[in-house]
């Protein structure tokens, strides 16, 4: 079997349930997101899919409401035990040390098709000091035939 075929076979089981984060923008470039299965939306590994922080960060104000926009880029709804999407926040230091982030929003996965845009209204928390934060979106598939979770992170600074 050629290496190419092995890679293709691996993709049949693993390259599913992609998650893109549109706003604030995810760390990896937002390319090919109008088609299911965008490579830039296939990030594995908690907490941020192994993507390095962006130098450019979006500035948010503590206490304001913000709409996080993300996309179920590739559907793999598992009806027997539906997964979920969540939005969490933590400081850059929480991310670096892999400490548990604070979950701000969670919604169950549904049979909505690939490319469905989803929104989460969150209230930006008030940190003790003005500092960089990470907003993480997660697609937990609960699907035994695919990776357990997909991650995206966006870099923001919360102003007091
Ligand atoms: C971070 O912690 C989670 C479990 O909470 C683990 O699955 C993941 O592999 C950890 N990431 C790193 C980079 O250690
Ligand atoms: C702001 O967001 C919080 C948390 O999601 C919500 O409870 C509240 O109603 C929102 N306020 C406005 C003005 O939208």
């Amino acid at each position: 079997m050629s290496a190419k075929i092995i890679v293709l076979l691996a993709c049949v089981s693993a390259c599913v349930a992609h998650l893109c984060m549109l706003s604030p923008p995810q760390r990896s470039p937002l390319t090919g997101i109008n088609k299911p299965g965008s490579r830039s939306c296939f990030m594995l590994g908690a907490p941020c899919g192994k993507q390095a922080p962006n130098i450019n960060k979006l500035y948010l104000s503590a206490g304001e409401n913000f709409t996080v926009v993300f996309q179920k880029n590739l559907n793999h709804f598992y009806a027997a035990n539906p997964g979920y999407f969540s939005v969490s926040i933590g400081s850059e230091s929480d991310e670096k040390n892999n400490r548990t982030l604070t979950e701000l929003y969670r919604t169950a996965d549904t049979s909505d098709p690939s490319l469905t845009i989803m929104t989460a209204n969150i209230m930006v928390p008030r940190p003790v000091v003005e500092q960089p934060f990470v907003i993480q979106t997660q697609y937990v598939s609960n699907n035994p035939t695919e990776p357990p979770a997909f991650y995206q992170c966006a870099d923001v600074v919360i102003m007091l």
Side-chain angles (χ1 to χ4, degrees):
M1 209 185 277
S2 80
K4 212 174 188 175
I5 290 174
I6 292 169
V7 168
L8 278 175
L9 285 179
C11 262
V12 169
S13 61
C15 295
V16 289
H18 297 41
L19 168 70
C20 317
M21 187 177 185
L22 281 60
S23 176
Q26 67 186 37
R27 290 175 172 179
S28 47
L30 280 164
T31 52
I33 63 165
N34 292 323
K35 289 209 176 88
S38 166
R39 189 65 192 85
S40 60
C41 301
F42 179 69
M43 299 301 165
L44 305 179
C48 288
K50 305 190 185 83
Q51 301 301 298
N54 272 333
I55 294 160
N56 293 322
K57 300 179 197 300
L58 184 74
Y59 280 74
L60 300 177
S61 298
E64 78 176 357
N65 275 16
F66 183 80
T67 304
V68 178
V69 183
F70 50 100
Q71 181 198 53
K72 180 203 269 196
N73 182 252
L74 191 55
N75 180 36
H76 211 97
F77 177 56
Y78 187 56
N81 181 20
Y84 63 89
F85 294 84
S86 66
V87 175
S88 302
I89 195 162
S91 66
E92 251 182 31
S93 136
D94 290 337
E95 182 210 345
K96 273 196 198 102
N97 297 293
N98 203 15
R99 285 192 287 262
T100 306
L101 306 179
T102 303
E103 188 175 285
L104 301 175
Y105 175 88
R106 183 188 280 216
T107 192
D109 192 14
T110 66
S111 59
D112 285 352
S114 300
L115 303 180
T116 297
I117 297 288
M118 306 174 70
T119 60
N121 181 43
I122 60 159
M123 187 180 284
V124 177
R126 188 171 297 279
V128 178
V129 288
E130 186 167 304
Q131 59 175 314
F133 272 76
V134 172
I135 297 183
Q136 177 212 52
T137 51
Q138 224 186 153
Y139 184 1
V140 175
S141 69
N142 276 353
N143 194 318
T145 64
E146 64 173 290
F150 300 81
Y151 300 92
Q152 292 293 349
C153 286
D155 297 289
V156 300
V157 175
I158 300 182
M159 298 176 296
L160 295 176

